[in-house]
Amino acid sequence: MDIFKTDDTLFQAFTDSVEDILSEIRDYAKEDDVAVIQKFISNFRMKTEEFFREDRKLNVGVVGQAKAGKSSFLNTLLFEGKEVLPKASTPKTAVLTKMEYSEENVIRVDYYSPEDWEVIEDNAMVDQDDEIYASARELVDMVRHSGLDPLPYLEMGEEEIHFDKYEDLLNSLNDYVGEDGRFTPIVESVTLFLNKEEFRGLSVVDTPGLNDPIASRTIRTREFMELCDVVFFLSQSGSFLDKSDWILLSSQLPQKGVKRLVLIASKYDSGVRDVLRVPDEDDIFGEDENTADTIPKACRLIQRKLEKRTKRKVSEFVKDLEKRGSEPELIEVIRQCEKPILVSAMAYNMTGKPEEEYSAEERNVYRALKNFSADIQSDLRLLGNFDAVRNLFDEVVAEKESILEQKAGSFVPTAAEELRGYLEGFVNKTAQRIQMLEGNDRDQLLAQKNEMSSRMESIRADILSVFGELKARLETEKAESLRELRELGKEYLEIRERTGTVTRTGSYTTGRFIFKKTHTYTYEDHYSYCLASDAAENLKKYAVESSNHAEEVFTEALQITEVKRKLLNIVVNNFDMGSENYDSSLFRIMVEETVASIEFPALDLDISKEMDGITGKFTGELTSGSQKTELGMALSNAISRMFEEISRKLTTEVRSFKDSLDQIAAAVQDRLLENITAELESLIEQCENKEKEIAGYQAYATILKNQLKRL
């Protein structure tokens, strides 16, 4: 089947049917409902026209949070480990980068439009800690410090840079997408046209993420994801599928049209290092389910844990989709994630490379791993695991026609399901309005509006009280956590003493004079010693535990279900809107969305300096008392500094989080007042001709229900 010659009669027929629905409801529907259907028709046309282009490529997206290792993953997969795509450690410098085949090697740079940059400059003037405003300030500061005049580039819109070799590409690309690139702050997206056969028929995109603080880049990313056929979703092994990852995967990632979803557990070496430890002779080490003494054992342990976690999360998600009546194809796409692929780009790139060519970061990893390996090259290949990714990538490319055929066949069913969701929502809203009009007259609604105005101060006070309690609980949890973190540090101060054995030679003499004879013998001498790797292991475990412990401050202080219940109770206790169903339907979604917008911070602790202070200074077996004391002091000082750092970060994050709660509380108040006022004013106007309005809503509901039966 040649999908590019597919008769578009089916798509035109579907579009016509939706146009008919729009025509039927236009005289009864509110403007918002009409706008939703108009946008739906526009999006459907855009997606089908884009899909059935003569030069349609297989769109492959790489998605994940900042620091998930997307650029390293793509460099290893597509560029043999060469750092073609620079790392972007923060969302503000994470530019959407697309790679496609071309006979000429060209970088096409798309700059922000002057209008977009004007919005960014306006946001930079807002003195708030919100991520949108903070990122805008950073972008504007980057331009100011670089001395760049952005206007000529913004007005130019796009620019093409030709290159011959990867070295030229690297030098040029870093200026436009590198963290400190001269043009990075004014670049919206970049396309690399490469004369590499591997890219023929493909469009591979390194996305900045769907939670990008720059609105226009988020829109570009979402537009691409709407057209995506295959998605590689990256999540760090050390914090695999955490709350932010799962929100991104299950809620923000548009599932429409994605036919293959591959879950990648990145930075596998980091997860493995978290469970490696040297066994104690007195331990029954094989019975410890949470640690391992060799890299292969640690790999099996981490793989088992991550697969178990993924299976549980995917199962919960599938059940939720089934309850919602989602398309079987979408459910099947999600089920593809049940078995993640665990990879380490760094370990793979270290394979076969001489140790003297390692970067500083690679040397640290090598030192941490070599004590647990009988064959370090074999273990690095095991950790790298990129053959599995390459095989799957090649398989996806080979199945391009089949994937696109499936997508072509699913356009109408997927769109019909989306349309059904919109129409059902219209039916529910219409039923609510009928219920309100039937249960109230104009005077009653007007009285409720006046009552609402008089009660708003009480509502504001109640909302502030809820968020005030949260902030107080946050401080309590922070104080308790710091106390526990200090105690936790003491547990890692002790360095285990090991026992070694050395074979020595002695002698003794028997007989006298000419009968004198010297005898030699060997014996084992036992001694105690310490290893710097054990102290480094203590540091690593303290870093992981303290970070997790600190992050729990936020989840423990803000019990999400409890917050939702309290906010809904404020509405119920302050208003009598004539119907329990009305109360619930009007405010529950608003409260859900408001609480869902609360993002818990992640506290990363960089311990590389502390690790270097241990492993760089102490080597081999430390046998003398002075050496052991010195190692103990170094460990104690390192843990003390780490405690101070995590305390500082936690205090800063708590302060920032409390500020964000103030903004959320204010937003709740504003949205509450705005939504209630608009709804009541609309209903009051309709009470002027109540029977006619009810008849109109009933006719609208009948049309919608009839259309739903036909879908």
Side-chain angles (χ1 to χ4, degrees):
M1 173 182 178
D2 187 346
I3 63 165
F4 301 113
K5 294 182 180 177
T6 300
D7 185 359
D8 65 355
T9 306
L10 180 65
F11 305 106
Q12 187 58 50
F14 178 75
T15 305
D16 290 344
S17 69
V18 183
E19 291 277 13
D20 290 342
I21 292 174
L22 184 59
S23 179
E24 276 203 62
I25 70 172
R26 194 182 292 275
D27 292 337
Y28 300 93
K30 286 198 167 188
E31 288 182 11
D32 290 349
D33 293 358
V34 172
V36 166
I37 301 302
Q38 287 174 330
K39 185 175 180 182
F40 171 80
I41 294 171
S42 175
N43 282 347
F44 181 77
R45 283 179 174 149
M46 179 272 293
K47 285 189 284 189
T48 52
E49 286 170 6
E50 192 279 340
F51 184 81
F52 289 101
R53 290 193 335 258
E54 286 290 335
D55 61 344
R56 176 58 156 88
K57 299 175 176 62
L58 185 73
N59 291 328
V60 180
V62 179
V63 179
Q65 295 188 71
K67 300 185 181 179
K70 299 189 294 293
S71 298
S72 297
F73 174 81
L74 282 169
N75 283 333
T76 302
L77 178 64
L78 303 174
F79 300 107
E80 298 163 350
K82 296 184 181 73
E83 289 193 11
V84 172
L85 301 173
K87 296 177 183 178
S89 60
T90 62
K92 71 177 186 300
T93 58
V95 174
L96 186 147
T97 306
K98 185 185 293 187
M99 289 152 281
E100 296 183 356
Y101 173 81
S102 172
E103 291 185 3
E104 284 191 88
N105 291 321
V106 179
I107 303 171
R108 190 185 72 203
V109 180
D110 290 300
Y111 297 104
Y112 290 117
S113 68
E115 294 77 18
D116 282 340
W117 187 252
E118 188 176 340
V119 170
I120 291 172
E121 288 187 315
D122 287 343
N123 286 340
M125 299 295 289
V126 179
D127 187 19
Q128 291 184 20
D129 289 334
D130 186 279
E131 191 175 20
I132 290 176
Y133 305 122
S135 292
R137 288 195 296 272
E138 290 182 32
L139 290 175
V140 171
D141 284 344
M142 287 171 70
V143 170
R144 188 178 296 121
H145 291 150
S146 70
L148 177 71
D149 177 9
L151 189 58
Y153 302 95
L154 303 175
E155 291 178 339
M156 180 166 50
E158 70 175 48
E159 180 180 7
E160 290 191 351
I161 301 101
H162 293 254
F163 64 93
D164 294 321
K165 299 176 293 186
Y166 274 145
E167 290 74 14
D168 300 329
L169 168 61
L170 263 170
N171 294 334
S172 299
L173 191 59
N174 196 63
D175 282 339
Y176 298 94
V177 300
E179 185 177 1
D180 299 315
R182 185 174 176 227
F183 301 100
T184 299
I186 60 172
V187 172
E188 186 175 52
S189 64
V190 165
T191 303
L192 304 184
F193 294 101
L194 302 162
N195 189 2
K196 280 174 67 76
E197 283 299 315
E198 298 94 312
F199 288 97
R200 193 181 286 276
L202 298 180
S203 182
V204 183
V205 174
D206 180 7
T207 68
L210 296 170
N211 51 353
D212 195 315
I214 307 302
S216 59
R217 285 199 315 225
T218 297
I219 292 168
R220 287 291 296 271
T221 302
R222 285 188 182 281
E223 285 175 352
F224 173 76
M225 296 309 299
E226 285 278 350
L227 305 172
C228 215
D229 310 307
V230 180
V231 169
F232 287 82
F233 186 92
L234 269 64
S235 176
Q236 289 191 58
S237 298
S239 55
F240 189 65
L241 288 186
D242 63 11
K243 182 174 179 286
S244 297
D245 272 338
W246 193 246
I247 289 172
L248 186 60
L249 178 62
S250 63
S251 302
Q252 296 187 46
L253 177 63
Q255 306 293 351
K256 304 163 193 171
V258 174
K259 292 302 166 191
R260 290 291 295 270
L261 186 56
V262 182
L263 185 56
I264 303 289
S266 60
K267 303 186 179 181
Y268 190 11
D269 61 285
S270 178
V272 163
R273 280 182 284 148
D274 286 341
V275 301
L276 284 170
R277 53 158 273 194
V278 177
D280 190 314
E281 292 85 347
D282 297 328
D283 289 344
I284 306 174
F285 188 66
E287 295 181 2
D288 189 338
E289 296 180 355
N290 298 309
T291 57
D293 62 344
T294 68
I295 291 172
K297 286 181 184 177
C299 286
R300 289 192 293 272
L301 172 62
I302 293 297
Q303 185 172 14
R304 188 166 61 247
K305 282 188 173 184
L306 298 194
E307 286 182 359
K308 183 178 179 181
R309 177 174 176 76
T310 309
K311 193 170 183 179
R312 176 172 59 81
K313 298 286 280 185
V314 168
S315 176
E316 291 171 359
F317 191 19
V318 166
K319 285 178 183 176
D320 184 50
L321 290 173
E322 288 173 340
K323 281 182 186 176
R324 288 190 246 161
S326 297
E327 282 287 310
E329 283 192 7
L330 170 58
I331 293 173
E332 183 55 36
V333 168
I334 300 302
R335 282 204 171 109
Q336 294 169 4
C337 293
E338 279 188 331
K339 197 165 184 181
I341 301 177
L342 285 68
V343 302
S344 167
M346 181 180 294
Y348 186 85
N349 294 331
M350 290 167 66
T351 306
K353 189 161 64 172
E355 189 177 344
E356 57 269 19
E357 293 182 14
Y358 287 163
S359 66
E361 191 178 7
E362 288 173 337
R363 281 195 295 273
N364 286 338
V365 171
Y366 181 78
R367 284 198 296 264
L369 293 175
K370 67 178 181 179
N371 292 329
F372 301 93
S373 176
D375 183 347
I376 190 65
Q377 289 298 318
S378 174
D379 286 343
L380 286 173
R381 282 192 294 274
L382 180 65
L383 288 168
N385 198 31
F386 256 82
D387 289 339
V389 179
R390 283 209 171 93
N391 291 339
L392 193 144
F393 187 80
D394 292 343
E395 178 186 311
V396 164
V397 173
E399 293 176 1
K400 173 187 171 183
E401 292 298 322
S402 172
I403 291 171
L404 294 181
E405 265 189 46
Q406 291 176 40
K407 190 159 185 172
S410 68
F411 262 115
V412 171
T414 300
E417 184 65 25
E418 185 180 359
L419 179 62
R420 175 181 292 278
Y422 291 137
L423 298 184
E424 287 175 346
F426 298 165
V427 169
N428 291 336
K429 285 193 296 183
T430 303
Q432 293 163 15
R433 291 185 177 116
I434 292 171
Q435 200 168 38
M436 278 296 292
L437 285 170
E438 288 179 338
N440 297 273
D441 58 26
R442 185 180 185 283
D443 290 340
Q444 287 173 312
L445 290 171
L446 193 57
Q448 288 191 40
K449 182 187 173 188
N450 294 334
E451 182 186 0
M452 177 205 69
S453 298
S454 65
R455 286 182 176 270
M456 276 313 297
E457 285 308 312
S458 174
I459 289 176
R460 290 183 195 278
D462 288 346
I463 292 174
L464 289 175
S465 175
V466 168
F467 283 91
E469 288 176 15
L470 294 180
K471 291 198 288 184
R473 199 182 309 157
L474 200 57
E475 284 295 338
T476 302
E477 291 290 341
K478 183 190 81 173
E480 179 65 17
S481 179
L482 289 176
R483 185 189 64 77
E484 292 176 358
L485 283 172
R486 191 179 292 278
E487 292 301 313
L488 183 66
K490 294 177 183 178
E491 297 178 15
Y492 291 99
L493 290 176
E494 185 177 346
I495 304 171
R496 185 157 50 96
E497 288 218 359
R498 302 168 175 275
T499 302
T501 304
V502 61
T503 301
R504 301 190 186 280
T505 302
S507 64
Y508 63 93
T509 304
T510 59
R512 298 175 66 190
F513 306 113
I514 62 171
F515 301 105
K516 186 176 179 180
K517 187 174 183 181
T518 300
H519 304 269
T520 60
Y521 62 93
T522 59
Y523 65 96
E524 290 185 343
D525 189 11
H526 298 281
Y527 64 97
S528 66
Y529 66 94
C530 293
L531 289 176
S533 59
D534 286 341
E537 182 65 25
N538 285 5
L539 283 181
K540 218 166 29 168
K541 288 184 176 179
Y542 179 64
V544 172
E545 284 201 46
S546 60
S547 294
N548 292 339
H549 210 77
E551 288 175 7
E552 287 174 4
V553 167
F554 301 93
T555 54
E556 289 298 320
L558 276 80
Q559 300 291 334
I560 294 299
T561 304
E562 183 70 7
V563 172
K564 291 177 184 176
R565 184 186 65 78
K566 287 185 176 181
L567 291 176
L568 284 171
N569 280 346
I570 289 172
V571 177
V572 173
N573 293 337
N574 281 279
F575 292 109
D576 178 11
M577 302 296 262
S579 164
E580 182 180 346
N581 289 333
Y582 180 80
D583 285 341
S584 173
S585 59
L586 180 63
F587 300 111
R588 187 172 299 279
I589 292 176
M590 185 186 72
V591 170
E592 292 276 352
E593 288 177 348
T594 300
V595 176
S597 71
I598 300 175
E599 293 186 5
F600 298 140
L603 279 78
D604 296 322
L605 196 59
D606 182 4
I607 63 169
S608 56
K609 185 177 179 181
E610 310 301 342
M611 292 285 284
D612 286 344
I614 298 288
T615 57
K617 186 175 181 180
F618 301 94
T619 56
E621 296 179 353
L622 309 178
T623 56
S624 71
S626 61
Q627 288 177 317
K628 294 176 185 177
T629 300
E630 192 176 353
L631 177 62
M633 286 297 295
L635 175 61
S636 176
N637 291 336
I639 286 179
S640 178
R641 287 191 296 271
M642 287 166 63
F643 171 77
E644 293 300 325
E645 177 65 10
I646 197 71
S647 300
R648 183 190 63 76
K649 284 194 172 187
L650 179 57
T651 300
T652 300
E653 290 293 348
V654 165
R655 187 185 306 118
S656 175
F657 196 69
K658 285 166 68 178
D659 290 342
S660 71
L661 288 179
D662 286 337
Q663 295 173 22
I664 291 169
V668 170
Q669 297 170 35
D670 293 342
R671 290 182 65 192
L672 188 60
L673 178 61
E674 182 183 338
N675 287 0
I676 298 173
T677 301
E679 188 71 15
L680 285 174
E681 285 179 350
S682 174
L683 291 168
I684 288 168
E685 287 178 14
Q686 292 165 20
C687 279
E688 296 290 345
N689 199 342
K690 185 174 179 178
E691 296 306 319
K692 181 181 177 182
E693 293 291 345
I694 290 174
Y697 280 134
Q698 288 172 336
Y700 182 36
T702 300
I703 293 171
L704 290 170
K705 289 173 182 176
N706 288 336
Q707 293 297 337
L708 281 167
K709 287 177 184 176
R710 293 173 193 163
L711 282 177

